[in-house]
Amino acid sequence: MAVRACAAGFCCADVYQDLDVFYPTGNGVDWGVHLSRMGVPVSVVSVVGDDRYGEKMREALAAEGLDISHLRVEPGNTCVMLMALKNGCDRVHLEAIDGVMENFVLTAEDEEFVLGHDLIHTDLFGNCLGSLPAWHGAGKTVVMDFSVFSQDPQYQCEELFPFVDYAFMSFEEDTPDLRAWLKKVQSLGPRVTIATLGEKGSIAFDGERFHECGIVEACEVVNTVGAGDSYIAGFTHGLITGCDLDDCMREGAELSSRVIGCFEPY
């Protein structure tokens, strides 16, 4: 039976006003789109507004093959991230407008639907953190993107790590302190902790040893948006297809390389 994946939590429209284009996105949405393109059944559980961006996001995600039956529509504005490109390829966040995402909560029916999946992705900003113990207790594989905030006391991540199987986080350098942090996080519950390091590759700890993976050079860097999300998607696809940890990391690096070499807004 095919593994069913669910992206639960944050979604938004990345809007490049100067280019008059947008991306339907969010950590889990990007992840889900890439997995769907690789043949994995993916559902999105989140919310959009009843505005133009909400309508276009639902259209775009349905066209990508995602199950949007639980991407609900509520009165108000879709969450928007106003964006710009610096130096032709580096993304710049200008302003975040929360819209209907601010008060999003999972309903009991949403929770039941999420638990019908084998693998669940979430993040710090999708208002789903209270569901982690139930997902973990039900034996689901939980993939979580902590971005650059894994050590930020505001988010109390150490209370979340015990309910996560694969903990992804972003750093700039491979340092002794980072390795100590990966070890500590893994000791709190995750099977594997993974740090992406931008152009310096990635490093993972599985409880026994560290694994390192370099980047895959892109032919051309067009847009760095989604590099981390695509890495997690490639890594997850490796998990689903039975790859070992090193090959999962390599698949993440390969997909990330392809993604930063294209710019396909809606």
Side-chain angles (χ1 to χ4, degrees), residues 7 17 25 35 47 53 64 67 91 104-105 130 155 177 180 202 216:
Q17 292 179 309
T25 188
L35 284 178
V47 65
Y53 287 125
E64 291 284 1
D67 179 346
R91 63 179 176 177
F104 170 71
V105 293
Y155 298 102
D177 285 345
S202 59
V216 174

Side-chain angles (χ1 to χ4, degrees), residues 60-77:
L61 297 182
E64 291 284 1
L66 278 70
D67 179 346
I68 61 167
S69 62
H70 287 70
L71 177 58
R72 65 178 180 260
V73 180
E74 293 184 353
N77 294 320

Side-chain angles (χ1 to χ4, degrees), residues 45-123:
V45 180
S46 190
V47 65
V48 295
D50 59 357
D51 57 357
R52 181 174 69 93
Y53 287 125
E55 178 182 359
K56 294 296 185 182
M57 284 181 68
R58 285 177 57 85
E59 288 179 1
L61 297 182
E64 291 284 1
L66 278 70
D67 179 346
I68 61 167
S69 62
H70 287 70
L71 177 58
R72 65 178 180 260
V73 180
E74 293 184 353
N77 294 320
T78 300
C79 179
V80 165
M81 295 287 179
L82 300 181
M83 306 286 291
L85 289 181
K86 179 182 178 181
N87 300 323
C89 63
D90 293 329
R91 63 179 176 177
V92 179
H93 291 85
L94 302 178
E95 183 181 359
I97 303 170
D98 291 336
V100 295
M101 193 73 240
E102 181 177 7
N103 298 312
F104 170 71
V105 293
L106 296 176
T107 65
E109 202 275 332
D110 287 335
E111 291 280 14
E112 182 180 358
F113 180 73
V114 171
L115 287 173
H117 296 75
D118 307 290
L119 195 150
I120 305 167
H121 176 293
T122 197
D123 54 76

Side-chain angles (χ1 to χ4, degrees), residues 3 9-10 17-18 44 65-66 81 87 112 117 139 148 190 233 244 252 257:
V3 170
F10 182 73
Q17 292 179 309
D18 55 338
V44 177
L66 278 70
M81 295 287 179
N87 300 323
E112 182 180 358
H117 296 75
V148 298
D244 64 20
S257 174

Side-chain angles (χ1 to χ4, degrees), residues 131-181:
S131 298
L132 287 171
W135 298 346
H136 185 265
K140 305 304 175 181
T141 298
V142 178
V143 173
M144 187 158 173
D145 182 3
F146 290 89
S147 187
V148 298
F149 305 105
S150 66
Q151 294 178 309
D152 190 329
Q154 174 183 350
Y155 298 102
Q156 299 179 317
C157 294
E158 291 189 33
E159 297 182 7
L160 307 176
F161 295 138
F163 309 110
V164 175
D165 294 287
Y166 294 89
F168 290 85
M169 52 202 80
S170 299
F171 287 86
E172 294 183 357
E173 301 280 349
D174 176 8
T175 66
D177 285 345
L178 169 59
R179 293 193 175 220
W181 178 240

Side-chain angles (χ1 to χ4, degrees), residues 3-66:
V3 170
R4 296 183 66 212
C6 179
F10 182 73
C11 79
C12 70
D14 275 4
V15 177
Y16 294 79
Q17 292 179 309
D18 55 338
L19 302 177
D20 194 29
V21 296
F22 87 103
Y23 272 106
T25 188
N27 309 61
V29 170
D30 276 353
W31 172 87
V33 166
H34 292 303
L35 284 178
S36 182
R37 290 176 178 177
M38 292 185 281
V40 178
V42 181
S43 304
V44 177
V45 180
S46 190
V47 65
V48 295
D50 59 357
D51 57 357
R52 181 174 69 93
Y53 287 125
E55 178 182 359
K56 294 296 185 182
M57 284 181 68
R58 285 177 57 85
E59 288 179 1
L61 297 182
E64 291 284 1
L66 278 70

